[in-house]
Amino acid sequence: RARWQFLGWLGVAGIVVVGLALFTLTWRQTETWRDPGTLWDHAVRVAPGSFQAHTNLGLYHLNRKDYDAALREFDDVLRLNPTSAKALFNRGLTLARQGRPNDAIESYQRGLLLRPNDPTALAHVGELLAGQGRYPEAESSYRRAVALAPHPDLFNSLGIVLAEQGRIDEAIGAFREALARDPRHEDARANLETALKERSR
């Protein structure tokens, strides 16, 4: 069985998570806080109705791999702001990292109902579906993502799910497109070589 070089979008820090909103602090104030967690925990206690403070505390916990705490914060965001696609995407990422792909997909899909043209969320859903062997669904998600953001990584991922469906010629086209956009994309190059060998058998 061919082994494809898959760039795991869910493992790339900071792709889906919107960067922390930074407070403007004086140097003296920054010395008050031991770490960002202390800052955001204080912010949540001072302003429990601030969904941005809950978001930032959730991201802090997510980056520290404290997934249960992160989920609590993202759920609080949704309680305060039920139409927050970002909270649903962050929740999906957290669930994926907990090894709960079905729950993660459900959270992403809820977010995509609110923000259907988010290519990163679509890429994450594609990866989760591919990880379950649901290649036609993964293909659909990747095609939507690549139409919005024609990034070489997305073409590489699309090529993999096409190859897994036995559509080698289409996969070769996707890998070549990835390399046309980034000639130094080693995963796409390795996958193209594998696909060409598969076709010649």
Side-chain angles (χ1 to χ4, degrees):
R1 185 176 174 84
R3 295 180 62 86
W4 308 104
Q5 301 299 313
F6 209 132
L7 174 67
W9 278 63
L10 292 169
V12 179
I15 286 183
V16 72
V17 178
V18 177
L20 296 181
L22 300 177
F23 287 167
T24 303
L25 301 171
T26 65
W27 174 248
R28 179 170 297 179
Q29 284 174 310
T30 51
E31 289 180 332
T32 303
W33 312 108
R34 294 190 301 275
D35 56 47
T38 306
L39 169 62
W40 300 125
D41 185 66
H42 174 77
V44 164
R45 282 186 283 110
V46 169
S50 168
F51 62 84
Q52 186 63 61
H54 283 286
T55 296
N56 290 336
L57 183 57
L59 295 176
Y60 170 78
H61 289 310
L62 175 60
N63 289 332
R64 291 173 61 85
K65 301 183 180 180
D66 188 348
Y67 301 129
D68 289 339
L71 282 175
R72 285 195 296 272
E73 297 304 322
F74 298 140
D75 285 341
D76 278 339
V77 174
L78 289 168
R79 177 178 54 81
L80 295 164
N81 184 14
T83 60
S84 173
K86 181 169 70 172
L88 288 163
F89 295 154
N90 286 335
R91 191 173 182 277
L93 178 61
T94 306
L95 289 163
R97 291 185 177 176
Q98 275 189 317
R100 298 165 59 185
N102 288 328
D103 292 333
I105 291 168
E106 189 269 341
S107 190
Y108 275 119
Q109 289 176 335
R110 284 173 58 198
L112 284 165
L113 290 175
L114 298 166
R115 192 191 296 173
N117 294 327
D118 189 298
T120 303
L122 288 164
H124 285 207
V125 172
E127 182 177 350
L128 288 163
L129 291 167
Q132 296 183 326
R134 296 161 63 180
Y135 299 120
E137 293 171 82
E139 177 191 347
S140 176
S141 193
Y142 279 129
R143 285 195 184 280
R144 287 174 62 192
V146 82
L148 294 163
H151 192 280
D153 292 339
L154 290 174
F155 280 105
N156 182 59
S157 297
L158 175 60
I160 291 169
V161 297
L162 290 167
E164 291 287 2
Q165 294 176 81
R167 292 154 60 187
I168 298 299
D169 286 342
E170 291 176 75
I172 288 170
F175 297 139
R176 283 178 170 157
E177 185 64 36
L179 286 168
R181 293 171 184 275
D182 179 7
R184 295 177 296 179
H185 200 297
E186 295 304 319
D187 288 347
R189 188 172 303 282
N191 287 334
L192 176 59
E193 292 173 1
T194 300
L196 290 169
K197 289 176 183 176
E198 287 284 306
R199 187 171 68 178
S200 66
R201 287 178 182 176

